[in-house]
Amino acid sequence: MMLQELETAVRLQLSIVCLVFCDRKLGLIDVVQKRRLYPACGVDFGGTDLAAIARGFGAHGVKAASFSELETAIADGLRMKGPVVIEVPIDPEEYAKQM
């Protein structure tokens, strides 16, 4: 949720792999609002290309839209020097189903 950590990881050339589950909303907050019968407020946002943002910071950024792509991205990321951000698009309704 904070890009400052990405800048720090790039600056320090930390070899980490970060998975970002991208549901185009603040899903957990949305679930809480719905459970409390509040209207959805400030939780939805449009598509954001997080892999491109990572590359803009100087990190490696990839999108994995399937399990096989995710498996490959993680394996590749573990071999890379410097931070890797893997964007994983997910269905925003999955949070509600899992809670």
Side-chain angles (χ1 to χ4, degrees), residues 28-57:
L28 293 175
I29 295 171
D30 183 53
V31 168
V32 171
Q33 287 179 350
K34 285 179 181 175
R35 285 192 176 169
R36 293 181 180 174
L37 303 177
Y38 298 157
C41 183
V43 293
D44 295 304
F45 52 89
T48 303
D49 190 340
L50 298 174
I53 292 170
R55 291 189 299 273
F57 269 81

Side-chain angles (χ1 to χ4, degrees), residues 7-19:
E7 185 281 330
T8 300
V10 169
R11 183 170 24 89
L12 299 178
Q13 278 299 289
L14 301 178
S15 293
I16 59 171
V17 176
C18 179
L19 300 179

Side-chain angles (χ1 to χ4, degrees), residues 1-98:
M1 290 179 66
M2 305 285 269
L3 288 176
Q4 295 88 328
E5 289 90 348
L6 182 56
E7 185 281 330
T8 300
V10 169
R11 183 170 24 89
L12 299 178
Q13 278 299 289
L14 301 178
S15 293
I16 59 171
V17 176
C18 179
L19 300 179
V20 180
F21 297 107
C22 185
D23 63 356
R24 298 167 312 282
K25 64 171 46 188
L26 299 173
L28 293 175
I29 295 171
D30 183 53
V31 168
V32 171
Q33 287 179 350
K34 285 179 181 175
R35 285 192 176 169
R36 293 181 180 174
L37 303 177
Y38 298 157
C41 183
V43 293
D44 295 304
F45 52 89
T48 303
D49 190 340
L50 298 174
I53 292 170
R55 291 189 299 273
F57 269 81
H60 303 281
V62 297
K63 186 179 288 192
S66 69
F67 285 116
S68 62
E69 289 178 2
L70 178 59
E71 204 170 50
T72 299
I74 291 171
D76 291 347
L78 291 172
R79 288 191 293 272
M80 292 183 177
K81 180 173 172 57
V84 177
V85 175
I86 303 171
E87 177 183 348
V88 183
I90 62 170
D91 180 348
E93 296 306 314
E94 286 301 314
Y95 285 117
K97 291 177 189 176
Q98 298 298 321

